[in-house]
């Protein structure tokens, strides 16, 4: 085998041989260049392991420069000195690369094996990954993701003014990569040392005009010239949120088994509430009317049936609907603003903070709350019935329009 002092210039100007030729690099023991009649050039390493001759393919020139090929051979000599076969290490590394999932593939594993098992809000995690993450870095191998990639995803969200969503997205991404480390897919998570965006607490409640607008556009499409085309379940879920003050996810996932029509109550089990506490929601006549209308399209299990994986409306549907309903408004109202509106209006109607907290199922962490086991169902019914009457007055235009301040 001929030996030659190789340089990048020599490689570039090397003539095409009549037949395949191997050229030994005069500077690096074990490195040689294979030159094909077509002009293609590839790097190889010759060595012995356990007294047996071995050949290891390194890469092709010019993708692998001469300096990189020499460094690779020196690294492999160190592997030999440690008693290992470089070819075996290369094969192991290739096997790892071959079985390394993409971000999109591992996101599915995270949802199935972690989120669904441990989180009541798993559907929210899936929505965030599907909407905010995988469209941008989904095709990247999980081990190829850098912190900068994650920062780029978050910056896109921040640039549209959604600081809270940026933080929620980061929380899901950090949890997903932590799960990858836990399962041995990665050794280290790239989702570390990223600062959260400072969030400002929203103090937005719907004005009377906004309430009337919401109620008008959520009428059955075709029955009113103001009604917007939207899913039957979505429009009714928004109305029920405004009537009961319960969380979007709790309303969207309302199971028929949770309804007691004889007692006119909705009983939410703790496994579906944010704080893990059972919640009894007395239903006003207006709320019962909404439920009766929704029963027309209910499934065997859920009031607000949908074709989602969960079998019911997801929390993303009300978010999208509110964006459409209040497009061009300032502020842009969100589903959670409906819940804040109920709490604020109840305070305006004279109900104290304790009753408002019971209606909204806020956890009482005070000493008194630890020992108070009264259900407050009668008080909650009085509050929600009074709110339904006040809401109807707003809808009918019988109340003077004004911006309602946040109860402090």
């Amino acid at each position: 085998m001929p030996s030659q002092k190789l340089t990048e210039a020599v490689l570039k100007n090397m003539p095409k041989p009549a037949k395949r030729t191997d050229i030994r690099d005069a500077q690096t023991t074990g490195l040689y260049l294979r030159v094909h009649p077509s002009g293609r050039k590839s790097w190889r390493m010759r060595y012995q392991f356990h007294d047996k001759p071995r050949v290891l393919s390194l890469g092709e020139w010019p993708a692998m420069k001469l300096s990189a090929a020499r460094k690779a051979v020196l690294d492999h000599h160190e592997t030999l000195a440690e008693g290992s076969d470089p070819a075996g290490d290369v094969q192991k590394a290739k096997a790892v690369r071959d079985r390394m999932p993409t971000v999109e593939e591992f996101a599915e594993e995270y949802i199935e094996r972690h989120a669904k098992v441990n989180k009541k809000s798993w559907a929210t995690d899936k929505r965030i990954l599907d909407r905010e993450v995988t469209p941008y870095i989904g095709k990247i191998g999980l081990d190829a993701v850098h912190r900068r990639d994650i920062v780029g995803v978050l910056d896109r969200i921040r640039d549209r003014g959604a600081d809270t969503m940026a933080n929620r997205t980061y929380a899901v991404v950090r949890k997903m990569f932590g799960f990858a480390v836990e399962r041995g897919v990665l050794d280290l998570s790239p989702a570390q040392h990223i600062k959260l965006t400072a969030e400002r607490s929203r103090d937005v409640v719907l004005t009377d005009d906004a309430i009337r607008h919401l109620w008008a556009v959520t009428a059955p499409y075709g029955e009113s010239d103001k009604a917007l085309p939207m899913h039957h379940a979505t429009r009714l879920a928004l109305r029920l949120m405004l009537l009961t003050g319960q969380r979007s996810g709790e309303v969207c996932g309302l199971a028929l088994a949770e309804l007691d029509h004889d007692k006119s109550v909705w009983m939410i089990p703790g496994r579906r509430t944010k704080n893990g506490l059972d919640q009894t929601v007395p239903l006003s006549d207006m709320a019962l009317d909404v439920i009766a209308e929704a029963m027309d399209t209910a499934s065997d299990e859920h009031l607000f049936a949908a074709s989602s994986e969960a079998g019911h409306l997801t929390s993303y549907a009300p978010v999208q609907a509110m964006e459409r309903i209040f497009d061009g408004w300032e502020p842009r109202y969100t589903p959670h603003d409906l819940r804040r509106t109920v709490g604020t209006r109840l305070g305006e109607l004279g109900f104290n903070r304790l009753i408002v907290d019971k209606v909204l199922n806020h956890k009482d962490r005070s000493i008194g709350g630890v020992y108070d086991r009264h259900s407050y169902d009668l008080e909650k019914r009085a509050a929600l019935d009074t709110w339904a009457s006040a809401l109807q007055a707003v809808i009918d235009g019988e109340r003077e329009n004004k911006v309602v301040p946040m109860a402090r």
Side-chain angles (χ1 to χ4, degrees):
M1 180 187 303
S3 177
Q4 186 174 351
K5 184 178 179 180
L6 299 176
T7 65
E8 286 295 328
V10 169
L11 293 169
K12 183 176 181 181
N13 297 310
M14 187 174 290
K16 298 178 182 179
K19 62 179 182 179
R20 190 180 71 186
T21 303
D22 290 340
I23 302 172
R24 182 186 301 116
D25 178 28
Q27 179 176 320
T28 309
T29 301
L31 176 63
Y32 70 93
L33 180 72
R34 173 162 286 181
V35 186
H36 299 265
S38 64
R40 183 167 66 88
K41 304 175 182 70
S42 58
W43 298 109
R44 295 195 166 203
M45 174 183 174
R46 289 181 180 272
Y47 64 98
Q48 285 198 343
F49 185 71
H50 292 170
D51 297 325
K52 293 182 179 181
R54 304 294 298 272
V55 177
L56 177 61
S57 295
L58 301 176
E60 294 200 359
W61 184 89
M64 175 178 266
K65 298 294 186 182
L66 173 61
S67 59
R70 286 172 172 167
K71 183 179 185 304
V73 170
L74 294 176
D75 290 343
H76 291 324
H77 279 310
E78 290 183 6
T79 301
L80 282 168
E82 294 169 356
S84 297
D85 183 1
D89 288 355
V90 170
Q91 289 170 356
K92 288 178 183 177
K94 182 178 184 301
V96 169
R97 290 194 302 272
D98 289 345
R99 69 171 180 264
M100 179 62 62
T102 63
V103 172
E104 187 173 28
E105 290 167 345
F106 190 77
E108 295 178 4
E109 182 174 341
Y110 163 77
I111 293 296
E112 292 298 325
R113 295 190 177 275
H114 177 80
K116 284 187 177 181
V117 176
N118 298 293
K119 301 183 70 175
K120 290 179 287 188
S121 60
W122 68 266
T124 300
D125 283 17
K126 186 177 188 305
R127 172 176 58 82
I128 287 175
L129 290 170
D130 288 348
R131 184 186 185 195
E132 309 289 359
V133 180
T134 57
Y136 305 103
I137 61 172
K139 303 305 181 185
I140 301 176
L142 202 66
D143 61 340
V145 177
H146 296 280
R147 188 184 308 155
R148 181 62 185 166
D149 298 314
I150 298 172
V151 170
V153 166
L154 301 178
D155 282 348
R156 286 187 184 92
I157 304 171
R158 292 168 180 147
D159 288 347
R160 67 173 193 257
D163 292 343
T164 299
M165 177 53 68
N167 289 345
R168 301 298 176 270
T169 300
Y170 176 48
V172 174
V173 169
R174 184 172 55 188
K175 178 64 72 174
M176 182 182 75
F177 277 100
F179 184 62
V181 173
E182 176 188 321
R183 292 182 67 81
V185 180
L186 297 177
D187 292 327
L188 296 172
S189 167
Q192 301 294 327
H193 310 296
I194 299 175
K195 289 186 178 181
L196 294 175
T197 305
E199 297 179 22
R200 291 183 301 173
S201 177
R202 281 177 67 91
D203 58 359
V204 177
V205 296
L206 274 67
T207 63
D208 288 0
D209 281 343
I211 289 175
R212 280 190 284 270
H213 177 68
L214 172 70
W215 206 264
V217 300
T218 55
Y221 187 63
E223 294 185 13
S224 167
D225 57 357
K226 294 182 179 180
L228 290 176
M230 71 178 69
H231 194 286
H232 179 69
T234 302
R235 68 178 186 81
L236 293 175
L238 288 173
R239 287 189 169 193
L240 195 60
M241 287 179 211
L242 184 58
L243 282 161
T244 64
Q246 303 311 296
R247 295 179 177 88
S248 176
E250 295 162 359
V251 173
C252 290
L254 195 159
L256 298 184
E258 297 169 3
L259 295 172
D260 187 330
H261 295 278
D262 293 334
K263 296 181 179 180
S264 298
V265 295
W266 166 26
M267 297 170 289
I268 313 175
R271 59 182 171 77
R272 285 214 315 112
T273 62
K274 183 177 180 180
N275 58 19
L277 299 178
D278 293 347
Q279 164 74 328
T280 300
V281 184
L283 298 170
S284 64
D285 288 343
M286 284 182 72
L288 289 171
D289 289 343
V290 170
I291 290 172
E293 190 174 352
M295 288 295 292
D296 293 341
T297 56
S299 66
D300 292 338
E301 295 184 48
H302 297 104
L303 181 66
F304 299 116
S307 58
S308 68
E309 185 177 353
H312 58 72
L313 205 64
T314 67
S315 298
Y316 187 45
V319 171
Q320 287 184 307
M322 289 290 281
E323 288 177 353
R324 290 178 56 218
I325 290 170
F326 292 106
D327 183 29
W329 284 61
E330 186 60 39
R332 292 283 292 273
Y333 295 109
T334 70
H336 195 74
D337 294 336
L338 302 179
R339 176 174 165 83
R340 189 182 298 107
T341 297
V342 174
T344 302
R345 294 295 179 115
L346 286 176
E348 184 187 41
L349 290 168
F351 293 94
N352 63 40
R353 183 64 60 82
L354 174 62
I355 303 306
V356 173
D357 285 345
K358 293 298 180 181
V359 168
L360 300 179
N361 198 22
H362 287 157
K363 195 165 189 176
D364 187 350
R365 300 183 183 277
S366 67
I367 296 297
V370 172
Y371 291 98
D372 187 355
R373 290 294 177 259
H374 179 52
S375 68
Y376 289 90
D377 288 350
L378 291 177
E379 292 86 347
K380 288 192 288 186
R381 181 173 295 282
L384 288 173
D385 281 347
T386 302
W387 163 233
S389 298
L391 175 61
Q392 187 63 64
V394 171
I395 295 168
D396 294 339
E398 297 174 0
R399 170 191 153 104
E400 180 184 356
N401 181 63
K402 64 177 180 178
V403 176
V404 183
M406 277 289 293
R408 300 292 181 184

